[in-house]
Amino acid sequence: MRMSWDDAKSPAVEVPLGDFFCCGFGKECYINSYPIVVAPSRGLNSYFSMPFRKKARIELVSQHKNVIPAFFYQIDYCLYDTLPDTMLYFFAKWNRESVTVKKKDYTILDNVYGKGIYVGTYLALQTLERYWWGEGEVKFYLDGDEEYPTICGTGTEDYFGGAWSFTRTENGVAKEQTYCTPFMGYPYYSREDDTVYNPYHMNDTPTERGFYRWHILDPILFDEDIRVTIQQIGVCHKGLFERQDDVSSVAYWYQSEPHQPFPKLLSKEERWPR
């Protein structure tokens, strides 16, 4: 899905359809949040404000080998005589590393310059290693930050609203729990990671997890530039360790124009889930 505003020469939104609506891995899940709602059956709804001055272009490009048999849409808009000079444009960008690099933070957003507001993150994590995966800190480098970020979290589960992982114990075994709230959620969990409890269980399908976090009541503001990253750190009985997993993400933000063009989107083959 691509979106362009006014006279911009490159899109402001370029995201696989499902991922924009917090449904990664080519899978459907239900989302009950403030700006994004996914309802049965495959009803994808966005309530992000997307202002423009002269014109807007929204494209949905099918790269499927077959014809899509049914698709419908509705776009609601208002017309105004004037808009404030401080108006910012809506942006969303997708990224993926099929295998992250040890000791290198995964990049959620980079190469953004100008004045703006960061409003949300969707993270799709496919774990490729054993043990707990959620110790990585989410970092926001703002307005010239280099070595140290202005905002640094305390772990992946904390950023998405959880605490002490997302588990409850049943018969001595920790089971993960999903949830949806207006501003943060963990709506998708593909299966129990049996290798954690039974290392001899031969299941070659890595566990998939999807998370969202909206910075609407707590927006992150920047005047010059922004970069957002997350560490790839886990923990086991030996302590913290650097991980390598399959990570993809969507960053959502508003900014002034002009903007830097996005890197070329990965091909459909490179976007396929494992």
mmCIF file of all heavy atoms in Angstrom, residues 16 18-19 22-29 94 96 122-127 188-190 206-211 246-248 271-274:
data_model
loop_
_atom_site.group_PDB
_atom_site.id
_atom_site.type_symbol
_atom_site.label_atom_id
_atom_site.label_comp_id
_atom_site.label_asym_id
_atom_site.label_seq_id
_atom_site.Cartn_x
_atom_site.Cartn_y
_atom_site.Cartn_z
ATOM 1 N N PRO A 16 3.610 -3.193 3.304
ATOM 2 C CA PRO A 16 2.733 -4.320 2.970
ATOM 3 C C PRO A 16 1.389 -4.165 3.679
ATOM 4 O O PRO A 16 1.328 -3.752 4.851
ATOM 5 C CB PRO A 16 3.513 -5.537 3.495
ATOM 6 C CG PRO A 16 4.942 -5.109 3.458
ATOM 7 C CD PRO A 16 4.929 -3.646 3.792
ATOM 8 N N GLY A 18 -0.992 -5.998 5.105
ATOM 9 C CA GLY A 18 -1.263 -6.572 6.421
ATOM 10 C C GLY A 18 -0.469 -5.900 7.517
ATOM 11 O O GLY A 18 -0.995 -5.604 8.597
ATOM 12 N N ASP A 19 0.819 -5.647 7.252
ATOM 13 C CA ASP A 19 1.675 -5.054 8.278
ATOM 14 C C ASP A 19 1.195 -3.660 8.677
ATOM 15 O O ASP A 19 1.295 -3.282 9.848
ATOM 16 C CB ASP A 19 3.108 -4.981 7.772
ATOM 17 C CG ASP A 19 3.719 -6.357 7.564
ATOM 18 O OD1 ASP A 19 3.278 -7.062 6.646
ATOM 19 O OD2 ASP A 19 4.626 -6.724 8.325
ATOM 20 N N CYS A 22 -1.145 -4.014 11.364
ATOM 21 C CA CYS A 22 -0.635 -4.811 12.493
ATOM 22 C C CYS A 22 -0.915 -6.299 12.355
ATOM 23 O O CYS A 22 -1.034 -7.009 13.356
ATOM 24 C CB CYS A 22 -1.188 -4.291 13.818
ATOM 25 S SG CYS A 22 -0.824 -2.547 14.124
ATOM 26 N N CYS A 23 -1.022 -6.760 11.109
ATOM 27 C CA CYS A 23 -1.202 -8.192 10.844
ATOM 28 C C CYS A 23 -0.026 -8.656 9.980
ATOM 29 O O CYS A 23 -0.117 -8.670 8.750
ATOM 30 C CB CYS A 23 -2.521 -8.461 10.129
ATOM 31 S SG CYS A 23 -3.984 -8.173 11.144
ATOM 32 N N GLY A 24 1.078 -9.002 10.619
ATOM 33 C CA GLY A 24 2.251 -9.443 9.904
ATOM 34 C C GLY A 24 2.198 -10.914 9.557
ATOM 35 O O GLY A 24 1.212 -11.610 9.827
ATOM 36 N N PHE A 25 3.265 -11.388 8.926
ATOM 37 C CA PHE A 25 3.450 -12.809 8.591
ATOM 38 C C PHE A 25 2.429 -13.317 7.581
ATOM 39 O O PHE A 25 2.286 -14.526 7.395
ATOM 40 C CB PHE A 25 3.381 -13.699 9.849
ATOM 41 C CG PHE A 25 4.197 -13.200 11.003
ATOM 42 C CD1 PHE A 25 3.596 -12.630 12.115
ATOM 43 C CD2 PHE A 25 5.583 -13.299 10.975
ATOM 44 C CE1 PHE A 25 4.351 -12.161 13.176
ATOM 45 C CE2 PHE A 25 6.348 -12.831 12.033
ATOM 46 C CZ PHE A 25 5.726 -12.271 13.135
ATOM 47 N N GLY A 26 1.679 -12.427 6.926
ATOM 48 C CA GLY A 26 0.625 -12.880 6.042
ATOM 49 C C GLY A 26 -0.531 -13.529 6.780
ATOM 50 O O GLY A 26 -1.322 -14.260 6.180
ATOM 51 N N LYS A 27 -0.679 -13.240 8.082
ATOM 52 C CA LYS A 27 -1.717 -13.849 8.915
ATOM 53 C C LYS A 27 -2.693 -12.778 9.392
ATOM 54 O O LYS A 27 -2.324 -11.622 9.612
ATOM 55 C CB LYS A 27 -1.087 -14.529 10.129
ATOM 56 C CG LYS A 27 0.003 -15.543 9.808
ATOM 57 C CD LYS A 27 -0.553 -16.809 9.209
ATOM 58 C CE LYS A 27 0.567 -17.797 8.900
ATOM 59 N NZ LYS A 27 1.327 -18.214 10.075
ATOM 60 N N GLU A 28 -3.939 -13.191 9.585
ATOM 61 C CA GLU A 28 -4.953 -12.286 10.123
ATOM 62 C C GLU A 28 -5.034 -12.435 11.628
ATOM 63 O O GLU A 28 -4.991 -13.543 12.159
ATOM 64 C CB GLU A 28 -6.315 -12.608 9.507
ATOM 65 C CG GLU A 28 -7.455 -11.748 10.057
ATOM 66 C CD GLU A 28 -8.822 -12.253 9.605
ATOM 67 O OE1 GLU A 28 -8.887 -13.360 9.034
ATOM 68 O OE2 GLU A 28 -9.817 -11.542 9.840
ATOM 69 N N CYS A 29 -5.118 -11.311 12.324
ATOM 70 C CA CYS A 29 -5.438 -11.334 13.755
ATOM 71 C C CYS A 29 -6.321 -10.135 14.052
ATOM 72 O O CYS A 29 -6.375 -9.182 13.273
ATOM 73 C CB CYS A 29 -4.178 -11.326 14.614
ATOM 74 S SG CYS A 29 -3.162 -9.846 14.455
ATOM 75 N N TRP A 94 7.999 0.504 6.315
ATOM 76 C CA TRP A 94 8.226 -0.892 6.697
ATOM 77 C C TRP A 94 9.699 -1.247 6.560
ATOM 78 O O TRP A 94 10.404 -0.727 5.691
ATOM 79 C CB TRP A 94 7.399 -1.796 5.787
ATOM 80 C CG TRP A 94 7.458 -3.262 6.088
ATOM 81 C CD1 TRP A 94 6.735 -3.937 7.026
ATOM 82 C CD2 TRP A 94 8.245 -4.247 5.403
ATOM 83 N NE1 TRP A 94 7.024 -5.281 6.968
ATOM 84 C CE2 TRP A 94 7.956 -5.494 5.992
ATOM 85 C CE3 TRP A 94 9.170 -4.184 4.352
ATOM 86 C CZ2 TRP A 94 8.548 -6.686 5.558
ATOM 87 C CZ3 TRP A 94 9.776 -5.360 3.925
ATOM 88 C CH2 TRP A 94 9.459 -6.592 4.529
ATOM 89 N N ARG A 96 12.599 -4.811 7.288
ATOM 90 C CA ARG A 96 12.781 -6.200 7.715
ATOM 91 C C ARG A 96 14.251 -6.582 7.644
ATOM 92 O O ARG A 96 14.965 -6.191 6.722
ATOM 93 C CB ARG A 96 11.989 -7.164 6.838
ATOM 94 C CG ARG A 96 12.121 -8.621 7.315
ATOM 95 C CD ARG A 96 11.583 -9.620 6.326
ATOM 96 N NE ARG A 96 11.563 -10.961 6.895
ATOM 97 C CZ ARG A 96 11.249 -12.061 6.219
ATOM 98 N NH1 ARG A 96 10.905 -11.977 4.947
ATOM 99 N NH2 ARG A 96 11.276 -13.246 6.797
ATOM 100 N N TYR A 122 4.783 -0.889 14.986
ATOM 101 C CA TYR A 122 4.347 -2.283 14.911
ATOM 102 C C TYR A 122 5.593 -3.136 14.751
ATOM 103 O O TYR A 122 6.465 -2.828 13.927
ATOM 104 C CB TYR A 122 3.398 -2.516 13.734
ATOM 105 C CG TYR A 122 3.142 -3.992 13.478
ATOM 106 C CD1 TYR A 122 2.458 -4.770 14.410
ATOM 107 C CD2 TYR A 122 3.601 -4.600 12.318
ATOM 108 C CE1 TYR A 122 2.245 -6.124 14.182
ATOM 109 C CE2 TYR A 122 3.385 -5.955 12.085
ATOM 110 C CZ TYR A 122 2.702 -6.709 13.027
ATOM 111 O OH TYR A 122 2.504 -8.048 12.804
ATOM 112 N N LEU A 123 5.693 -4.206 15.547
ATOM 113 C CA LEU A 123 6.854 -5.085 15.504
ATOM 114 C C LEU A 123 6.389 -6.515 15.288
ATOM 115 O O LEU A 123 5.528 -7.017 16.020
ATOM 116 C CB LEU A 123 7.640 -4.991 16.806
ATOM 117 C CG LEU A 123 8.978 -5.747 16.846
ATOM 118 C CD1 LEU A 123 10.017 -5.015 15.991
ATOM 119 C CD2 LEU A 123 9.485 -5.873 18.276
ATOM 120 N N ALA A 124 6.961 -7.167 14.267
ATOM 121 C CA ALA A 124 6.680 -8.579 13.989
ATOM 122 C C ALA A 124 7.971 -9.353 14.215
ATOM 123 O O ALA A 124 8.946 -9.179 13.487
ATOM 124 C CB ALA A 124 6.188 -8.751 12.556
ATOM 125 N N LEU A 125 7.971 -10.192 15.230
ATOM 126 C CA LEU A 125 9.173 -10.913 15.645
ATOM 127 C C LEU A 125 9.001 -12.406 15.411
ATOM 128 O O LEU A 125 8.035 -13.001 15.887
ATOM 129 C CB LEU A 125 9.436 -10.652 17.130
ATOM 130 C CG LEU A 125 10.495 -11.525 17.800
ATOM 131 C CD1 LEU A 125 11.889 -11.169 17.270
ATOM 132 C CD2 LEU A 125 10.437 -11.373 19.314
ATOM 133 N N GLN A 126 9.931 -12.993 14.675
ATOM 134 C CA GLN A 126 9.973 -14.440 14.499
ATOM 135 C C GLN A 126 11.280 -14.918 15.138
ATOM 136 O O GLN A 126 12.376 -14.665 14.637
ATOM 137 C CB GLN A 126 9.920 -14.819 13.015
ATOM 138 C CG GLN A 126 9.521 -16.262 12.788
ATOM 139 C CD GLN A 126 8.988 -16.480 11.377
ATOM 140 O OE1 GLN A 126 9.349 -15.774 10.452
ATOM 141 N NE2 GLN A 126 8.124 -17.473 11.204
ATOM 142 N N THR A 127 11.153 -15.575 16.286
ATOM 143 C CA THR A 127 12.345 -15.955 17.039
ATOM 144 C C THR A 127 13.071 -17.109 16.353
ATOM 145 O O THR A 127 12.452 -18.094 15.933
ATOM 146 C CB THR A 127 11.973 -16.360 18.474
ATOM 147 O OG1 THR A 127 10.901 -17.308 18.447
ATOM 148 C CG2 THR A 127 11.552 -15.147 19.280
ATOM 149 N N TYR A 188 -0.939 -11.096 18.452
ATOM 150 C CA TYR A 188 -0.708 -12.311 17.660
ATOM 151 C C TYR A 188 0.438 -13.141 18.232
ATOM 152 O O TYR A 188 1.541 -12.635 18.461
ATOM 153 C CB TYR A 188 -0.388 -11.951 16.210
ATOM 154 C CG TYR A 188 -0.195 -13.186 15.347
ATOM 155 C CD1 TYR A 188 -1.275 -14.015 15.038
ATOM 156 C CD2 TYR A 188 1.051 -13.535 14.861
ATOM 157 C CE1 TYR A 188 -1.106 -15.156 14.265
ATOM 158 C CE2 TYR A 188 1.233 -14.670 14.084
ATOM 159 C CZ TYR A 188 0.153 -15.478 13.792
ATOM 160 O OH TYR A 188 0.318 -16.616 13.037
ATOM 161 N N TYR A 189 0.149 -14.414 18.452
ATOM 162 C CA TYR A 189 1.126 -15.386 18.957
ATOM 163 C C TYR A 189 0.817 -16.695 18.250
ATOM 164 O O TYR A 189 -0.254 -17.275 18.419
ATOM 165 C CB TYR A 189 0.966 -15.509 20.474
ATOM 166 C CG TYR A 189 1.876 -16.497 21.141
ATOM 167 C CD1 TYR A 189 3.226 -16.547 20.838
ATOM 168 C CD2 TYR A 189 1.390 -17.360 22.126
ATOM 169 C CE1 TYR A 189 4.064 -17.434 21.474
ATOM 170 C CE2 TYR A 189 2.217 -18.246 22.768
ATOM 171 C CZ TYR A 189 3.564 -18.295 22.444
ATOM 172 O OH TYR A 189 4.390 -19.181 23.078
ATOM 173 N N SER A 190 1.754 -17.166 17.432
ATOM 174 C CA SER A 190 1.435 -18.284 16.534
ATOM 175 C C SER A 190 1.361 -19.624 17.241
ATOM 176 O O SER A 190 0.510 -20.452 16.930
ATOM 177 C CB SER A 190 2.464 -18.352 15.398
ATOM 178 O OG SER A 190 3.751 -18.657 15.893
ATOM 179 N N PRO A 206 9.464 -21.484 13.399
ATOM 180 C CA PRO A 206 9.732 -20.547 14.504
ATOM 181 C C PRO A 206 8.448 -19.859 14.961
ATOM 182 O O PRO A 206 7.546 -19.604 14.172
ATOM 183 C CB PRO A 206 10.708 -19.541 13.880
ATOM 184 C CG PRO A 206 11.244 -20.189 12.649
ATOM 185 C CD PRO A 206 10.148 -21.097 12.163
ATOM 186 N N THR A 207 8.394 -19.540 16.238
ATOM 187 C CA THR A 207 7.232 -18.857 16.794
ATOM 188 C C THR A 207 7.172 -17.411 16.293
ATOM 189 O O THR A 207 8.179 -16.718 16.238
ATOM 190 C CB THR A 207 7.297 -18.875 18.322
ATOM 191 O OG1 THR A 207 7.323 -20.236 18.775
ATOM 192 C CG2 THR A 207 6.089 -18.182 18.931
ATOM 193 N N GLU A 208 5.956 -16.976 15.929
ATOM 194 C CA GLU A 208 5.724 -15.617 15.435
ATOM 195 C C GLU A 208 4.967 -14.818 16.493
ATOM 196 O O GLU A 208 4.022 -15.324 17.107
ATOM 197 C CB GLU A 208 4.899 -15.652 14.152
ATOM 198 C CG GLU A 208 5.536 -16.458 13.032
ATOM 199 C CD GLU A 208 4.553 -16.796 11.923
ATOM 200 O OE1 GLU A 208 3.330 -16.821 12.193
ATOM 201 O OE2 GLU A 208 5.021 -17.044 10.797
ATOM 202 N N ARG A 209 5.367 -13.562 16.669
ATOM 203 C CA ARG A 209 4.720 -12.677 17.639
ATOM 204 C C ARG A 209 4.554 -11.295 17.014
ATOM 205 O O ARG A 209 5.471 -10.788 16.374
ATOM 206 C CB ARG A 209 5.556 -12.557 18.914
ATOM 207 C CG ARG A 209 5.779 -13.861 19.666
ATOM 208 C CD ARG A 209 6.805 -13.677 20.776
ATOM 209 N NE ARG A 209 6.908 -14.846 21.626
ATOM 210 C CZ ARG A 209 7.725 -15.872 21.391
ATOM 211 N NH1 ARG A 209 8.516 -15.878 20.324
ATOM 212 N NH2 ARG A 209 7.771 -16.889 22.244
ATOM 213 N N GLY A 210 3.381 -10.688 17.232
ATOM 214 C CA GLY A 210 3.120 -9.350 16.713
ATOM 215 C C GLY A 210 2.726 -8.396 17.827
ATOM 216 O O GLY A 210 1.907 -8.744 18.685
ATOM 217 N N PHE A 211 3.285 -7.181 17.815
ATOM 218 C CA PHE A 211 3.052 -6.183 18.859
ATOM 219 C C PHE A 211 2.762 -4.812 18.234
ATOM 220 O O PHE A 211 3.255 -4.505 17.147
ATOM 221 C CB PHE A 211 4.297 -6.009 19.746
ATOM 222 C CG PHE A 211 4.850 -7.271 20.314
ATOM 223 C CD1 PHE A 211 5.793 -8.008 19.612
ATOM 224 C CD2 PHE A 211 4.454 -7.721 21.560
ATOM 225 C CE1 PHE A 211 6.328 -9.174 20.133
ATOM 226 C CE2 PHE A 211 4.981 -8.879 22.093
ATOM 227 C CZ PHE A 211 5.921 -9.619 21.375
ATOM 228 N N ASP A 246 14.448 -13.001 13.230
ATOM 229 C CA ASP A 246 13.829 -12.444 12.028
ATOM 230 C C ASP A 246 12.869 -11.346 12.492
ATOM 231 O O ASP A 246 11.867 -11.632 13.149
ATOM 232 C CB ASP A 246 13.092 -13.549 11.280
ATOM 233 C CG ASP A 246 12.497 -13.087 9.956
ATOM 234 O OD1 ASP A 246 12.374 -11.860 9.747
ATOM 235 O OD2 ASP A 246 12.141 -13.945 9.138
ATOM 236 N N VAL A 247 13.181 -10.093 12.174
ATOM 237 C CA VAL A 247 12.420 -8.952 12.698
ATOM 238 C C VAL A 247 11.937 -8.083 11.540
ATOM 239 O O VAL A 247 12.702 -7.771 10.624
ATOM 240 C CB VAL A 247 13.279 -8.100 13.655
ATOM 241 C CG1 VAL A 247 12.448 -6.950 14.237
ATOM 242 C CG2 VAL A 247 13.860 -8.955 14.773
ATOM 243 N N SER A 248 10.678 -7.712 11.573
ATOM 244 C CA SER A 248 10.155 -6.691 10.670
ATOM 245 C C SER A 248 9.333 -5.700 11.482
ATOM 246 O O SER A 248 8.926 -5.992 12.613
ATOM 247 C CB SER A 248 9.335 -7.303 9.530
ATOM 248 O OG SER A 248 8.270 -8.073 10.032
ATOM 249 N N ARG A 271 10.027 -10.600 1.141
ATOM 250 C CA ARG A 271 9.084 -10.243 2.192
ATOM 251 C C ARG A 271 8.349 -11.458 2.756
ATOM 252 O O ARG A 271 7.698 -11.341 3.801
ATOM 253 C CB ARG A 271 8.050 -9.233 1.679
ATOM 254 C CG ARG A 271 8.643 -7.925 1.190
ATOM 255 C CD ARG A 271 7.584 -6.830 1.102
ATOM 256 N NE ARG A 271 6.449 -7.191 0.306
ATOM 257 C CZ ARG A 271 6.312 -6.982 -0.998
ATOM 258 N NH1 ARG A 271 7.306 -6.412 -1.665
ATOM 259 N NH2 ARG A 271 5.223 -7.328 -1.643
ATOM 260 N N TRP A 272 8.410 -12.594 2.080
ATOM 261 C CA TRP A 272 7.672 -13.765 2.539
ATOM 262 C C TRP A 272 8.096 -14.177 3.953
ATOM 263 O O TRP A 272 9.280 -14.162 4.268
ATOM 264 C CB TRP A 272 7.900 -14.949 1.598
ATOM 265 C CG TRP A 272 7.102 -14.872 0.334
ATOM 266 C CD1 TRP A 272 5.969 -14.151 0.109
ATOM 267 C CD2 TRP A 272 7.394 -15.550 -0.889
ATOM 268 N NE1 TRP A 272 5.525 -14.330 -1.171
ATOM 269 C CE2 TRP A 272 6.378 -15.181 -1.817
ATOM 270 C CE3 TRP A 272 8.399 -16.414 -1.304
ATOM 271 C CZ2 TRP A 272 6.345 -15.665 -3.122
ATOM 272 C CZ3 TRP A 272 8.364 -16.892 -2.607
ATOM 273 C CH2 TRP A 272 7.349 -16.530 -3.506
ATOM 274 N N PRO A 273 7.146 -14.569 4.787
ATOM 275 C CA PRO A 273 7.505 -15.139 6.097
ATOM 276 C C PRO A 273 8.244 -16.457 5.898
ATOM 277 O O PRO A 273 8.161 -17.088 4.851
ATOM 278 C CB PRO A 273 6.154 -15.357 6.780
ATOM 279 C CG PRO A 273 5.169 -14.566 6.001
ATOM 280 C CD PRO A 273 5.697 -14.490 4.608
ATOM 281 N N ARG A 274 8.948 -16.850 6.932
ATOM 282 C CA ARG A 274 9.651 -18.131 6.870
ATOM 283 C C ARG A 274 8.649 -19.272 6.760
ATOM 284 O O ARG A 274 7.605 -19.248 7.356
ATOM 285 C CB ARG A 274 10.507 -18.335 8.114
ATOM 286 C CG ARG A 274 11.686 -17.390 8.145
ATOM 287 C CD ARG A 274 12.491 -17.531 9.426
ATOM 288 N NE ARG A 274 13.588 -16.572 9.385
ATOM 289 C CZ ARG A 274 14.760 -16.813 8.839
ATOM 290 N NH1 ARG A 274 15.004 -17.986 8.300
ATOM 291 N NH2 ARG A 274 15.700 -15.902 8.818
#
